Amino acid sequence: VSNSEGDLLFLLDSSGSVSYYEFSRVKEFMRDLVRPFTFGPKDVQTSIIHISTTPTMEFPFDRYLSSGTLQQAIRDTQQLMGDTNTGKALSYAKEKLFSDEAGARPDVPKVLVWVTDGFSTDDISEPMRLLKDMGVTVFIVSTGRGNYLELSAAASQPPEKHLHFVDVDDLPIITKELRDAILDVIQANRLHAVDITSSSFRLMWPELLSQETGYYTLEYAPTDDLARKRTKQVSGAHTSLTLSNLAPETTYEVALIPESNIHYFPPQTTRVTTLAEEISPAQVLISESGPHSFHVSWAPTLDSVIGYQILYGPLPGNSVKLLEVDGKRNSTVVENLAPNTTYLVTVTAIYKSGQEKSLSAKACTQE
């Protein structure tokens, strides 16, 4: 995950109310959460502040600028014990999130992830309000029996996106959802890609222009063959564009150039890698079922598929029959079936590369 600029601060409950086991599981969760990020002065920077009797910064934002060194630093973080003075820690966090000496950067998105067992010995409402008023997005992960009303008021709105209640052993369940939500915050003001497939992705960017004030020029090319650069232009009313007919498993360099007749806007760039080619039928549908036949259809049909094999047989049973279908078709009729019988139907895509991938569905004939 690169081209994502933001300061990410973990507020870590390091007090005596947290067991050693819980503390170690939370550290593991933090490491998993940040593992895919790229760190550096133009990417994500992260820091940890301990909640204890006195708030303590484990390391400043600009100390660890590679994934490996940050992973080790989180692993080496030691629990401080003491009281759960979260309000004090939040006030300290507000100061450090906007401090040059702590390595924080002006004009980048600020994200706070507070991991708590749900208890605090001092008031959190006022320091949390001040943090959010300064533009900080607050995510809360509660591993205990915290007060829902208090925590939902403390988290950024809406709480269903920013507040998680989860047992400490189940933290991996929310890792991807929380990471994606953090990325949404960090990337909201930058060019970024969503809906990435093997042959397309959708680019999104902030609203910089309008229909009247200019247009966007979009340039993109494979990283290993920049001479194959392609260009598109869209009106200033656009904030997204889908690029298609791309090569699978290929990294593209993308530049968005706002052409404004009022202000100068610097180009925004990103790097996007398409997925490996989808090597399976996306779905198998059974329709038009009668006593002795049914219709089987599947999607998608790809240029790289040379044919499909349809295996079908009654359940339970070992007798299986085979139908072969040309790769340009995506349906066939299966006939000469027994009435009132359940069949297992398996559609296998055969690729030019020799690879195969299958998907199955059950079907019933009518009486």
Side-chain angles (χ1 to χ4, degrees):
V1 180
S2 58
N3 291 296
S4 300
E5 201 171 359
D7 288 340
L8 171 61
L9 177 62
F10 287 101
L11 198 62
L12 179 60
D13 191 341
S14 193
S15 67
S17 66
V18 177
S19 71
Y20 174 80
Y21 174 75
E22 290 170 328
F23 192 78
S24 63
R25 290 310 300 263
V26 168
K27 288 199 300 180
E28 205 174 300
F29 166 67
M30 288 162 54
R31 289 173 56 214
D32 285 345
L33 192 67
V34 301
R35 201 179 303 277
F37 290 172
T38 305
F39 297 93
K42 291 292 183 185
D43 287 290
V44 173
Q45 293 186 169
T46 194
S47 174
I48 295 174
I49 288 176
H50 292 271
I51 301 170
S52 183
T53 306
T54 303
T56 304
M57 177 175 274
E58 179 72 17
F59 49 80
F61 288 100
D62 55 357
R63 178 168 298 168
Y64 298 110
L65 300 181
S66 74
S67 185
T69 56
L70 178 66
Q71 289 287 323
Q72 188 60 48
I74 296 173
R75 191 184 285 114
D76 292 343
T77 298
Q78 298 294 311
Q79 189 172 357
L80 300 184
M81 308 305 282
D83 294 332
T84 316
N85 288 332
T86 309
K88 275 188 184 177
L90 286 166
S91 297
Y92 183 73
K94 178 173 73 72
E95 174 193 321
K96 297 303 177 188
L97 262 167
F98 299 93
S99 154
D100 289 345
E101 68 183 59
R105 296 162 293 178
D107 306 322
V108 303
K110 309 284 186 182
V111 176
L112 175 74
V113 177
W114 171 26
V115 187
T116 174
D117 63 0
F119 300 98
S120 177
T121 50
D122 60 351
D123 179 62
I124 66 165
S125 55
E126 183 62 15
M128 192 64 91
R129 184 188 66 78
L130 291 172
L131 263 172
K132 290 189 288 188
D133 285 351
M134 295 178 77
V136 178
T137 302
V138 177
F139 293 94
I140 301 176
V141 178
S142 176
T143 61
R145 300 179 305 280
N147 181 316
Y148 175 79
L149 289 177
E150 180 182 64
L151 292 179
S152 61
S156 289
Q157 298 301 304
E160 57 267 22
K161 277 192 172 182
H162 298 89
L163 173 60
H164 296 273
F165 279 88
V166 61
D167 187 83
V168 74
D169 287 319
D170 295 329
L171 283 167
I173 292 171
I174 67 163
T175 301
K176 184 180 185 306
E177 185 182 343
L178 179 57
R179 184 192 297 130
D180 288 348
I182 291 168
L183 269 173
D184 285 345
V185 174
I186 290 173
Q187 294 181 328
N189 296 315
R190 291 186 60 84
L191 173 69
H192 62 283
V194 297
D195 303 336
I196 301 170
T197 72
S198 60
S199 61
S200 67
F201 50 78
R202 184 157 63 97
L203 292 163
M204 300 184 70
W205 59 86
E207 189 177 334
L208 302 173
L209 309 175
S210 68
Q211 186 85 37
E212 295 76 34
T213 60
Y215 61 93
Y216 296 101
T217 298
L218 199 84
E219 299 176 346
Y220 61 104
T223 301
D224 57 3
D225 190 4
L226 295 175
R228 283 173 52 206
K229 181 173 76 176
R230 285 181 268 178
T231 303
K232 287 181 180 286
Q233 287 187 344
V234 294
S235 81
H238 283 71
T239 55
S240 71
L241 177 69
T242 298
L243 300 182
S244 51
N245 300 318
L246 306 175
E249 287 188 281
T250 302
T251 300
Y252 286 85
E253 302 286 340
V254 184
L256 177 76
I257 305 156
E259 310 276 8
S260 170
N261 51 28
I262 296 176
H263 300 290
Y264 168 73
F265 291 100
Q268 293 196 16
T269 60
T270 189
R271 183 176 289 172
V272 188
T273 303
T274 51
L275 303 182
E277 190 157 32
E278 178 63 55
I279 58 162
S280 71
Q283 56 186 162
V284 173
L285 299 172
I286 311 293
S287 59
E288 299 170 28
S289 178
H292 301 288
S293 68
F294 47 69
H295 190 260
V296 183
S297 56
W298 55 89
T301 51
L302 300 168
D303 290 341
S304 52
V305 175
I306 56 172
Y308 293 95
Q309 292 182 344
I310 291 81
L311 287 166
Y312 60 98
L315 289 174
N318 296 319
S319 63
V320 175
K321 293 184 178 177
L322 169 68
L323 270 177
E324 293 191 311
V325 177
D326 183 86
K328 293 182 173 59
R329 290 172 56 196
N330 72 335
S331 67
T332 191
V333 176
V334 179
E335 298 178 307
N336 302 318
L337 305 175
N340 196 25
T341 302
T342 301
Y343 283 83
L344 180 67
V345 182
T346 301
V347 179
T348 301
I350 313 293
Y351 287 78
K352 291 172 183 172
S353 64
Q355 290 182 297
E356 300 180 8
K357 202 66 181 282
S358 304
L359 203 67
S360 298
K362 286 182 183 176
C364 291
T365 51
Q366 295 180 0
E367 291 187 22

